């Protein structure tokens, strides 16, 4: 049993886990795209409010990005800190 | 290995490295690259503010280049704060301006070959805690303890634990957002330089513009914007007394 779960096995599984964790980036990508699309529509309807629309969009996008960043953090922890290593 | 978050002994450019250590009792304290880079950023800002103070004190009728720049910065920050915070802006101008300039310089310091201090969770978390303290103090000062309790039991009293978690998530999400953004930029630049070696010649400048300047400026703006929104939420729209 001990021979099966050696360090290389854990390292490989950590790399696979890191890859899976970064899939979290799909959500923020879709969300930011939707926000940018609606902002473009808003500017088209009311070009005078371009500054306000842009800053609101950037703020919302940055908040939406957080979930993706959590996935990225997990991936980095798995790859560089290696918490699963004995 | 395992001395702390991202403080391992690998040779990959973007890690926090210990410069030297000293013993206090049976604890080992490390002075790391984050300390040094924070100090460099702070020294730059202190020297800048020293000259800025001199220029403003002299206050020529026809302002010179430097005085113009300083006035421009202050006016921009003032406009940003007062457009978001309304009547309470005059109280928080100094705080917001200070953290804005500090975070901006920290993020941009990657351009000058430093490891950005904000890519260390030990730097961003205190910033988040500072904001959280300010929010809590403002809540107790302007809404009175009764108002705070009412806010916590907002729709129904049994909502209290969820509201509490929501309150305590604020500093964590604020600091993690800044940290992860700057760290991802730093890691990607280190990978470009470290893995491509000779091929990484001149063109990474474009990446620097994106990761250090654009992303850094956006994250600074977002951090300050969220801080202002939370604080003006806590202060409420009470008329100026």
């Amino acid at each position: 049993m001990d021979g099966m779960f050696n360090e290389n096995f854990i390292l490989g599984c950590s790399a696979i886990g890191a890859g899976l964790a970064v899939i979290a980036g799909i959500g923020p990508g879709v969300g930011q795209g939707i926000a940018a699309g609606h902002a473009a529509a808003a500017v088209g309807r009311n070009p005078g409010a371009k500054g306000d629309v842009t800053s609101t969009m950037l703020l919302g996008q940055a908040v939406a990005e957080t979930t993706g960043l959590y996935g990225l953090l997990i991936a980095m922890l798995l790859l560089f800190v290696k918490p699963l290593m004995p | 290995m395992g001395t702390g978050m991202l403080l391992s002994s690998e040779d990959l450019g973007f890690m926090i490295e210990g410069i030297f250590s000293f013993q206090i009792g049976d604890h080992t304290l490390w002075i790391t690259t984050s300390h040094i880079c924070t100090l460099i950023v702070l020294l730059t800002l202190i020297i800048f503010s020293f000259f800025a103070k001199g220029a403003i004190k002299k206050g020529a009728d026809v302002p010179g280049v430097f005085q113009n720049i300083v006035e421009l910065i202050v006016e921009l920050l003032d406009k940003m704060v007062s457009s978001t915070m309304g009547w309470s802006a005059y109280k928080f101008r100094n705080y917001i301006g200070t953290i804005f300039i500090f975070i901006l310089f920290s993020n941009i310091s990657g351009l000058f070959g430093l490891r950005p201090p904000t890519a260390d969770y030990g730097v961003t978390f205190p910033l988040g805690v500072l904001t959280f303290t300010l929010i809590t103090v403002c809540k107790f000062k302007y809404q009175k303890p009764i108002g705070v309790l009412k806010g916590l039991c907002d729709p129904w009293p049994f909502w209290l634990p969820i509201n509490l978690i929501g309150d305590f998530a604020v500093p964590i999400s604020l600091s993690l957002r800044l940290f992860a953004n700057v760290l991802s930029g730093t890691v990607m630049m280190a990978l470009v330089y470290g893995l491509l070696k000779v091929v990484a010649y001149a063109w990474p400048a474009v990446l620097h513009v994106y990761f250090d300047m654009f992303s850094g400026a956006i994250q600074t703006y977002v951090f300050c914007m969220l801080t202002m929104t939370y604080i003006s939420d806590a202060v409420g729209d009470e008329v100026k007394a």
Side-chain angles (χ1 to χ4, degrees):
Chain A
M1 246 352 226
D2 276 349
M4 234 176 103
F5 298 108
N6 57 10
E7 293 199 346
N8 290 334
F9 181 78
I10 295 176
L11 211 60
C13 284
S14 291
I16 293 174
L20 288 177
V22 176
I23 293 179
I26 291 177
V30 173
Q32 289 183 334
I34 291 175
H38 282 276
V43 172
R45 226 174 287 134
N46 183 5
K50 190 167 181 241
D52 281 348
V53 169
T54 310
S55 64
T56 312
M57 179 194 79
L58 282 177
L59 192 67
Q61 285 186 333
V63 174
E65 205 179 34
T66 315
T67 47
L69 288 173
Y70 289 157
L72 179 78
L73 267 187
I74 301 286
M76 279 189 187
L77 285 178
L78 281 174
L79 279 183
F80 298 119
V81 186
K82 304 189 191 83
L84 301 180
M85 281 298 217
Chain B
M1 283 290 266
T3 35
M5 197 167 178
L6 294 186
L7 194 71
S8 56
S9 57
E10 270 147 82
D11 189 26
L12 250 176
F14 61 85
M15 296 291 183
I16 301 169
E17 278 157 38
I19 308 282
F20 60 90
S21 64
F22 52 87
Q23 293 268 336
I24 292 183
D26 44 357
H27 290 282
T28 319
L29 284 182
W30 277 93
I31 298 294
T32 60
T33 40
S34 300
H35 292 104
I36 308 286
C37 293
T38 315
L39 270 181
I40 293 174
V41 169
L42 286 181
L43 270 182
T44 317
L45 287 178
I46 287 170
I47 292 169
F48 175 76
S49 64
F50 194 72
F51 280 113
K53 196 184 168 195
I56 294 295
K57 270 229 169 121
K58 254 192 273 162
D61 275 346
V62 182
V65 178
F66 186 66
Q67 192 185 341
N68 252 329
I69 292 173
V70 172
E71 283 178 4
L72 192 75
I73 294 171
V74 172
E75 267 171 23
L76 270 178
L77 288 174
D78 272 5
K79 213 173 79 186
M80 187 183 82
V81 178
S82 48
S83 70
T84 329
M85 296 192 71
W87 71 271
S88 58
Y90 71 103
K91 286 182 178 164
F92 299 103
R93 242 173 227 163
N94 294 336
Y95 174 67
I96 303 289
T98 310
I99 57 168
F100 190 95
I101 294 178
F102 173 67
I103 297 176
L104 187 66
F105 267 71
S106 303
N107 289 351
I108 289 182
S109 68
L111 274 183
F112 302 101
L114 300 178
R115 187 183 185 284
T118 32
D120 183 346
Y121 196 50
V123 175
T124 57
F125 187 62
L127 288 172
V129 169
L130 220 60
T131 296
F132 176 71
T133 318
L134 210 54
I135 294 169
T136 315
V137 168
C138 283
K139 254 188 198 167
F140 275 96
K141 194 173 162 196
Y142 289 98
Q143 304 179 2
K144 306 285 178 281
I146 294 286
V148 176
L149 205 65
K150 246 185 219 161
L152 279 179
C153 309
D154 193 14
W156 300 294
F158 62 81
W159 230 246
L160 187 130
I162 295 176
N163 281 332
L164 267 182
I165 292 174
D167 278 0
F168 279 100
V170 166
I172 296 171
S173 74
L174 260 183
S175 54
L176 270 183
R177 184 175 304 124
L178 182 59
F179 164 67
N181 263 296
V182 182
L183 180 75
S184 65
T186 312
V187 169
M188 265 183 251
M189 288 319 297
L191 289 182
V192 165
Y193 283 127
L195 298 182
L196 297 182
K197 295 217 158 75
V198 195
V199 190
Y201 190 71
W203 64 266
V206 183
L207 294 180
H208 267 300
V209 168
Y210 178 76
F211 285 126
D212 287 335
M213 304 198 68
F214 178 72
S215 182
I218 293 273
Q219 287 312 312
T220 314
Y221 177 72
V222 165
F223 190 95
C224 292
M225 220 47 186
L226 285 176
T227 303
M228 285 189 283
T229 318
Y230 284 130
I231 291 178
S232 54
D233 250 18
V235 167
D237 30 79
E238 166 190 341
V239 206
K240 190 173 160 187

